[in-house]
Amino acid sequence: MPAIACVDTGYVFSGDSSLPTAADVFIPTSPTSTFSDISSRWNPSLSASLYRIDCWGAPYFTANSSGNISVRPHGSDTLPHQDIDLLEVVKNATDPKPSGGLGLQFPLIVRFPDVLKNRLECLQSAFDSAVKSQGYGSHYQGVYPVKCNQDRFIVEDIVNFGSSFRFGLEAGSKPEILLAMSCLCKGNPDAFLVCNGFKDSEYVSLALLGRKLAFNTVIVLEQEHELDLVIDLSQKMNVRPVIGLRAKLRTKQTNHYGSNSGENGKFGLTSSQIVRVVTKLRESGMLDCLQLLHFHIGSMIPSTSLLSDGVSEAALIYCELVRLGAHMRVIDVGGGLGIDYDGSKSGQADQSVTYTLEEYAEAVVSSIRYVCDRRSVKHPVICSESGRATVSHHSVLIFEAASSVKPTAHQPSAAVDIQFLLEGEEDLYAAVMRGDQEKSLLYVEQLKQRCVEGFKDGVLSIEQLGSIDGLCEWVLKAIGGSDAVQTYNINLSIFTSTPDHWGTVGQLFPIVPIHRLDEKPGARGILSDLTCDSDGKIVKFIGGESSLPLHEIDSYGGGGRYLLGIFLGGAYEESMGGVHNLFGGPSVVRVSQSDGPHSFVVTRAVPGQSSSDVLRAVQHEPELMIQTLKHRAEEVMHTKGGGQEDEDENEYKNVAACLDRSFHNMPYLATEEGIIE
């Protein structure tokens, strides 16, 4: 991805003819030129290019003529009047109830089930088209891995939206099996319930119970010893199981997500273990129960060439299982269908993939068809567990930038004599005069280090040290070496809401202001969250950038909020987030497209977790805590005495009310309520 080039008036991308260049940007020709002059030449289209919205966001997000982010709920089939202005949704959700809003607090997750429905339909359509164009002899039947986001309404939507094409669910734990079975009660009876993960007797019993309850349940063996449990319990429960097995492929990817694939992967059976499983099933008279082959070569598969290699290897194993007498009928290609987080379509750095949905489906279908045709094996049903590609786009996390901190500007003090400190600094002066930035930076660092040592030794006063800082700041500005990046303090916990960013994955998500896109960003910034942790920052952004073009908060008239959105975060982030610093989950609204005057309707609104909720999650008892603190308040007021009983009583009531509010409210900053203009 092209780098951001800094120009006098802001930041544009260079090296890409589709993006704005310096020629598109107003350059002030006189000292009287103002930021309003610059902004008058800016437009939402330039912002869309600057933030690459049309690259990573298509076909669901765009910048509208009002300078706000618009959501296109039906993807490329969205009609102009169906666009949803994201800022209007946020206003409706967060404005006070007396003003007609829902009164929810930031941070806020906005979910668009229409986008989720479109993603499912596009995935199914891509495989249907590949099956038809290649004359494939079977069909595609996907499942959603509920670990990506176990929210009840998301899972229920997927079952509902996918019912017409037999879309099912994948579970990896006992609670996930329970929720999957419950949701599939309203689904298509032919939909798969794929049971992955480590298994004990209770897990296997639940999966077998699913067969008794007429769910299309498949128990996938992850480890060889699990087969003994399946055989034993199926006989005791008088259930004929459907069994799958996960194969450890030699094919693996080299990025972060491939670390648990290949022969050293966490799950799966080697070729020798597969042979032993087949032998044991034959001896038990249950070889006909083995019907599915599963594999996984890692998330975010970067290219179709790697995908084809893995699928072809798995198809060969599938054909061998058919030859050995198993009644195979399904090949489950696992997860790995990636999305383009940075819009570069480069397949690099775990942030991008080089293919489309259609190209992914073509690669899977053609690879299986080719191998099966060579071995004269009937084409199997194709299943995939594409969670990230299904749910990522439909959820947007909205948060406020509460304030910004500019780099410290030190001013030399005229009242402090620092002349003697500059004796012997002729080299610094000469380097500045000839514009030698590298030498100037070196001499500045040396000067600062000597002065710090002098301060520690008691030779310099704090006033003198401050003056030296001011001098060094002046030098850095003179040589163009000062860092103009601001820190934007955001009303969010990165640990809670974007755990994949700060964790070992280091996932980068598109982050964009959801409004003011008709104004040129006048600053660069990094994001610092509310937590008391130095890792609570976002200092890396899509495209390898170390800062983000942002608007000056102070320049925004009317005292309105500056709102940013984290996009493509619908998978994993909610289910993996913790309660670091006891910041709980965000508020959530569910928004559907409507033909009404605002193009949308809020179908569900849930306040974020209160302080009581998160305290209860870590085994505290909020009700008891409140009573304890109120009792303490009574004791203090009584001890205080003074014969002013009415005043003491009023003070106690105020304390009690404050405690009640604090336990009831969300842990995040309660910023000033106001309508966003």
Side-chain angles (χ1 to χ4, degrees), residues 242-312:
V242 173
I243 299 173
L245 59 83
R246 185 193 292 222
K248 280 187 178 179
L249 303 187
R250 269 69 169 183
T251 304
K252 63 177 295 184
Q253 53 181 319
T254 57
N255 64 13
H256 167 83
Y257 294 107
S259 60
N260 282 321
S261 61
E263 292 183 277
N264 296 320
K266 178 179 178 181
F267 293 115
L269 307 179
T270 63
S271 55
S272 59
Q273 289 175 318
I274 290 174
V275 172
R276 288 199 294 268
V277 165
V278 169
T279 300
K280 184 171 288 189
L281 284 171
R282 182 184 292 114
E283 293 172 349
S284 302
M286 297 176 63
L287 189 54
D288 61 306
C289 296
L290 181 55
Q291 299 180 17
L292 178 146
L293 176 70
H294 174 42
F295 69 93
H296 181 62
I297 59 175
S299 297
M300 287 289 291
I301 297 172
S303 66
T304 54
S305 59
L306 177 63
L307 173 68
S308 295
D309 286 346
V311 173
S312 296

Side-chain angles (χ1 to χ4, degrees), residues 282 318-326 375 377:
R282 182 184 292 114
Y318 180 92
C319 292
E320 285 295 291
L321 290 170
V322 172
R323 183 183 64 81
L324 292 172
R375 297 295 190 91
V377 170

Side-chain angles (χ1 to χ4, degrees), residues 29 49 158 250 260 283 293 326 348 474 503 650 658:
T29 56
S49 296
I158 288 172
R250 269 69 169 183
N260 282 321
E283 293 172 349
L293 176 70
Q348 296 178 352
W474 177 87
N650 288 334
C658 180

